[in-house]
Amino acid sequence: MINISRLKVDFISGTQSKKIIEGIDVHVDEGESVVVIGPNGCGKTTFLHTIAGLNDNYSGTIEIEEDRSRVALILQEIGLLPWKTVWKNATLGLDLQDVGDKSRAEELLERLDLMKYKTDYPSQLSGGERRKLGLVRALSVDPKILLMDEPLVSLDEFTRERLQNTILELWKEKGLTMMLVTHDIEEASFLGERIVVLTPSPASVKEVVGNETMGDVGFRRSEDFYGTAQKLRESLP
Amino acid sequence: MRHGITRYVVSLLFLTLLWWLAAFIVRQVIPGPKSMVLSGPIKAFSTLFYHWGSIWPNFLRSAIRLVISLLISVFFGATTGLIIGFEKTADRLLSPIIYIAYPVPKIVFLPVILILFGLGDLSRVIFIVLVITFQVALSARDAAKNVSNRWVKAVESAGGNRLQVYRHVVIPAALPEILTSVRISIGLGIAALYLAEESFTNQGLAYYINNSWKIFAYSDVFAGILAFAILGLGLYLIVDLVERIFCKWNYID
Ligand SMILES: Nc1ncnc2c1ncn2[C@@H]1O[C@H](COP(=O)(O)OP(=O)(O)O)[C@@H](O)[C@H]1O
Ligand SMILES: [Mg+2]
């Protein structure tokens, strides 16, 4: 469970202070998937990093009903370490937490078809494979909460949809509590049980769009999917 | 090793040829025994070979002085450099000190060091360390400054502490630059070693060369220079090997 109330973030540079997040209230139940959508530069990354504990300069409250080690974040730029092999990147979280048993990383690599690159380096992977490796790295520590910052940005349509399917499957299978930020309307409509629409900078909640009938791959072809997408289009600036 | 050996052999032959040519010209232009000052390569190599028994202890002594100095410099230089580059407070406090201390010609301190720490190897090592450490520290600092924030965030968001950020991000990211600074240090270190071995010692390659000058054994002078070249080459090859093992990722295209 994640509970965020009256979240405000200001960035101070020199004597100037700039409002980035003006006040966001969001609640994510255990096992729920919430997508936060907003235009570029509205403060989505700042919002997610603040929740993940990478930014202490905020006011308001962030409650997370989980041990920190069970919260995983996938960065917008992924942040794979170029000097580590695919395997070492996949097991980074486990290494950091001193977990000897790497079988979960192995399973995930196998499942996402990355095992064949085990000894390669990230620079040898395609964009889609890097994204998948980011997903493996995040999930290898068996998180309860998964935070994702535009996880499928700059991928071709085909790869993006396939990976959206993968994320959906993993979410259902592992009962993850998921929060994903994106500027992509279809991604939001496909992956969010609820979709929080943010205003342009400084960010605040403009509208919350319900999308309860999502949940399987065929949803993309349904009336509800188009209905949600249409609502988001009207709500976004 | 893409035709590594061939490259070295070709370079060696080329340098030897230039050297031979220079010696030949000197012999034509300058008449008499003066021309002997520049020994030809054949003479130098054969002297190196036949006098190896007396050169070897000097080689070993120089090598030990240099390698110990390099290890100390790289350890302290890289450690402080990485911390200065990565921790903003350390940068503000210590960068000015490095900027002030780095350009000062360290040779002026050699007599001071010799007086304070005696005429033994300790003084020589301190002097060489003083010459090369700043340069390593500066390289490490700049490398640490360029560490991308996304890598740090990746480790931090996965629960990594500060020490783990250094271990998994800062050190591996900076390693190629540190190794480059080690290569520069080998050259600087040999120059410093030469100065440090010129006086108050009875062993070392510089001592051997100086002594050979004094007794007009010119071919021994050049044999000594060759021994220095071998020492440097050996160290460069070791650094290359370290890089190939620990920076594999940097060699992928
Ligand atoms: N460290 C920072 N210091 C100052 N301003 C920042 C910093 N990071 C981001 N910003 C500003 O905050 C705003 C929101 O950025 P970001 O959260 O990255 O937006 P989004 O992810 O929605 O594109 C932008 O205007 C950006 O310029
Ligand atoms: Mg962003």
Side-chain angles (χ1 to χ4, degrees):
Chain A
M1 193 261 335
I2 309 171
N3 198 23
I4 295 149
S5 59
R6 293 185 311 279
L7 182 72
K8 283 197 173 86
V9 177
D10 293 340
F11 276 134
I12 297 148
S13 58
T15 53
Q16 298 231 301
S17 151
K18 187 179 162 201
K19 274 193 180 128
I20 306 294
I21 294 173
E22 171 95 282
I24 295 183
D25 297 74
V26 178
H27 180 89
V28 188
D29 267 329
E30 198 175 323
E32 198 186 9
S33 165
V34 169
V35 170
V36 176
I37 191 168
N40 270 332
C42 79
K44 301 185 293 299
T45 295
T46 309
F47 174 65
L48 215 56
H49 284 192
T50 308
I51 298 170
L54 293 176
N55 169 27
D56 296 327
N57 277 316
Y58 67 89
S59 67
T61 54
I62 300 171
E63 290 170 74
I64 294 181
E65 213 175 53
E66 266 312 325
D67 190 75
R68 280 234 49 99
S69 66
R70 307 299 297 280
V71 181
L73 168 70
I74 300 181
L75 300 164
Q76 189 168 345
E77 320 85 342
I78 324 178
L80 297 173
L81 306 181
W83 41 86
K84 287 188 190 280
T85 57
V86 167
W87 172 253
K88 277 301 195 181
N89 268 290
T91 56
L92 178 71
L94 297 169
D95 285 336
L96 291 173
Q97 295 177 14
D98 262 326
V99 180
D101 177 13
K102 310 281 197 279
S103 56
R104 193 167 279 110
E106 209 168 326
E107 270 163 40
L108 285 159
L109 282 175
E110 206 72 77
R111 171 164 183 178
L112 295 190
D113 214 19
L114 290 172
M115 209 51 180
K116 53 180 183 266
Y117 303 122
K118 199 176 169 185
T119 56
D120 287 350
Y121 288 89
S123 62
Q124 294 166 287
L125 300 180
S126 72
E129 287 159 351
R130 284 179 209 175
R131 289 281 164 196
K132 287 201 283 186
L133 182 53
L135 200 58
V136 171
R137 183 172 74 183
L139 292 177
S140 66
V141 295
D142 196 22
K144 284 281 187 200
I145 295 176
L146 180 60
L147 308 171
M148 289 180 275
D149 192 355
E150 311 208 27
L152 305 176
V153 75
S154 70
L155 290 178
D156 61 87
E157 200 71 22
F158 179 69
T159 311
R160 186 179 325 153
E161 288 201 354
R162 262 199 339 211
L163 287 183
Q164 283 169 359
N165 296 347
T166 307
I167 291 174
L168 187 76
E169 279 165 25
L170 288 166
W171 166 63
K172 287 199 292 189
E173 185 185 309
K174 301 193 182 287
L176 292 165
T177 304
M178 196 158 87
M179 177 130 84
L180 184 151
V181 309
T182 182
H183 61 250
D184 186 295
I185 288 173
E186 298 203 342
E187 191 162 297
S189 311
F190 183 67
L191 288 174
E193 284 180 293
R194 273 186 301 128
I195 299 145
V196 178
V197 182
L198 296 182
T199 61
S201 187
S204 61
V205 177
K206 183 169 184 198
E207 192 185 347
V208 179
V209 176
N211 191 34
E212 289 77 13
T213 53
M214 60 73 77
D216 55 61
V217 172
F219 184 67
R220 253 194 217 98
R221 276 173 268 116
S222 69
E223 286 292 317
D224 287 359
F225 176 76
Y226 289 110
T228 303
Q230 199 47 42
K231 271 188 214 155
L232 294 178
R233 253 174 224 118
E234 280 156 17
S235 183
L236 282 164
Chain B
M1 290 259 266
R2 295 150 298 175
H3 30 259
I5 303 288
T6 350
R7 258 185 348 203
Y8 282 106
V9 171
V10 170
S11 312
L12 189 65
L13 286 177
F14 179 69
L15 284 174
T16 310
L17 189 72
L18 278 185
W19 178 4
W20 180 83
L21 214 63
F24 179 76
I25 292 169
V26 167
R27 238 175 293 135
Q28 305 306 309
V29 177
I30 304 168
K34 249 192 197 169
S35 70
M36 297 295 288
V37 161
L38 184 56
S39 271
I42 298 163
K43 200 139 189 241
F45 276 109
S46 59
T47 307
L48 180 68
F49 183 75
Y50 289 112
H51 291 184
W52 184 244
S54 54
I55 293 173
W56 166 246
N58 295 292
F59 180 90
L60 193 66
R61 189 74 174 267
S62 288
I64 289 171
R65 286 168 178 160
L66 183 60
V67 168
I68 288 176
S69 308
L70 280 170
L71 290 176
I72 295 173
S73 304
V74 171
F75 180 77
F76 285 107
T79 311
T80 47
L82 290 177
I83 292 171
I84 292 171
F86 199 61
E87 312 289 342
K88 289 200 172 61
T89 329
D91 188 24
R92 270 199 307 274
L93 292 176
L94 297 176
S95 270
I97 297 181
I98 292 195
Y99 282 149
I100 293 166
Y102 183 42
V104 173
K106 307 298 175 303
I107 184 69
V108 298
F109 297 116
L110 184 54
V112 180
I113 293 169
L114 286 170
I115 290 166
L116 288 180
F117 298 98
L119 302 178
D121 280 345
L122 177 65
S123 287
R124 282 169 242 281
V125 168
I126 290 175
F127 174 67
I128 301 168
V129 166
L130 198 62
V131 171
I132 55 187
T133 306
F134 291 103
Q135 182 262 132
V136 178
L138 275 180
S139 297
R141 184 199 68 158
D142 292 346
K145 273 193 177 175
N146 286 329
V147 166
S148 166
N149 210 8
R150 79 181 73 157
W151 300 326
V152 179
K153 286 205 160 112
V155 170
E156 279 176 352
S157 70
N161 57 34
R162 203 65 175 168
L163 217 60
Q164 287 173 316
V165 170
Y166 274 92
R167 177 162 156 228
H168 293 277
V169 176
V170 182
I171 294 172
L175 194 57
E177 273 102 326
I178 291 174
L179 290 176
T180 299
S181 81
V182 174
R183 290 196 185 88
I184 296 169
S185 298
I186 291 171
L188 278 175
I190 287 180
L193 177 72
Y194 194 93
L195 293 171
E197 280 184 345
E198 269 188 322
S199 40
F200 309 114
T201 179
N202 53 14
Q203 213 171 42
L205 283 177
Y207 163 80
Y208 182 82
I209 290 172
N210 271 323
N211 207 45
S212 303
W213 276 125
K214 278 183 208 145
I215 58 172
F216 306 107
Y218 297 127
S219 61
D220 283 283
V221 170
F222 284 87
I225 294 172
L226 281 175
F228 261 130
I230 292 169
L231 176 58
L233 178 64
L235 292 173
Y236 283 126
L237 290 178
I238 291 172
V239 175
D240 274 6
L241 188 69
V242 169
E243 179 153 43
R244 222 164 272 140
I245 293 170
F246 291 100
C247 305
K248 251 196 206 140
W249 61 281
N250 220 5
Y251 286 96
I252 294 160
D253 255 328

